[in-house]
Amino acid sequence: MNRIAKLEIAVVIILVLCIGLYMSPFFTKKVDERRMAKINANAAVFTSKALSVFSADKDAKASDVARKTMDELNTLSKNPYDKKLPAYVSGNVFCGSISIDSDDKLQTITITGYGKDNVVLVRTVIKPPSFVTYKKYEDKK
């Protein structure tokens, strides 16, 4: 191969790398959006499952419903940021987890979803037969 052909190949490789570096934020932003959507979906699934348990058993304690629902859903869902970690936790929170707190006196369950850097993305308070959800919305630029 002559020198000009090698130079042309090197220029093409450099151009492809530059385009890849320019486009990489586009792809990483989409990954973060999918992870945040998964956290919101996990919180919604927990809410609907807990409300269905409460509607089936009117005398159920909030702590029992929270524990049983958390154990059941942890077998089905994984943390979107680290697949080795559970999606639902009570206690230590970490990136991508859904924290479950219950209060038997008030008969409530509080569900808090944490995103990147442990920022609260979604919080739901269940007081059977109703619930309230607060979500964090990012401004689209």
Side-chain angles (χ1 to χ4, degrees):
M1 229 189 307
N2 62 14
R3 285 183 149 178
I4 294 177
K6 290 179 183 177
L7 182 63
E8 289 173 352
I9 291 173
V11 168
V12 169
I13 290 173
I14 290 172
L15 283 174
V16 169
L17 288 174
C18 289
I19 292 171
L21 287 173
Y22 179 75
M23 295 297 291
S24 65
F26 173 75
F27 294 113
T28 57
K29 185 176 180 184
K30 293 293 184 185
V31 170
D32 285 340
E33 287 176 3
R34 282 194 303 264
R35 287 177 176 165
M36 289 189 312
K38 179 66 176 167
I39 292 166
N40 287 329
N42 284 346
V45 166
F46 189 95
T47 302
S48 66
K49 178 69 176 164
L51 285 173
S52 69
V53 171
F54 277 123
S55 69
D57 184 8
K58 305 279 189 218
D59 297 327
K61 285 184 172 181
S63 59
D64 292 339
V65 172
R67 185 180 35 78
K68 289 177 185 176
T69 306
M70 184 172 55
D71 291 342
E72 180 182 341
L73 292 178
N74 269 333
T75 61
L76 303 173
S77 299
K78 296 295 179 202
N79 186 317
Y81 284 92
D82 187 354
K83 301 295 182 196
K84 296 175 186 172
L85 299 173
Y88 303 94
V89 297
S90 62
N92 285 345
V93 296
F94 35 82
C95 185
S97 66
I98 305 289
S99 173
I100 309 298
D101 299 313
S102 61
D103 186 354
D104 287 336
K105 290 180 183 178
L106 297 175
Q107 194 66 358
T108 61
I109 299 174
T110 304
I111 304 160
T112 308
Y114 294 91
K116 192 174 187 179
D117 299 327
N118 286 344
V119 174
V120 175
L121 295 179
V122 61
R123 178 168 286 144
T124 301
V125 179
I126 300 173
K127 173 100 171 119
S130 63
F131 67 96
V132 177
T133 299
Y134 304 95
K135 291 184 181 181
K136 177 183 177 187
Y137 290 102
E138 296 286 327
D139 290 336
K140 302 278 182 179
K141 293 182 180 178

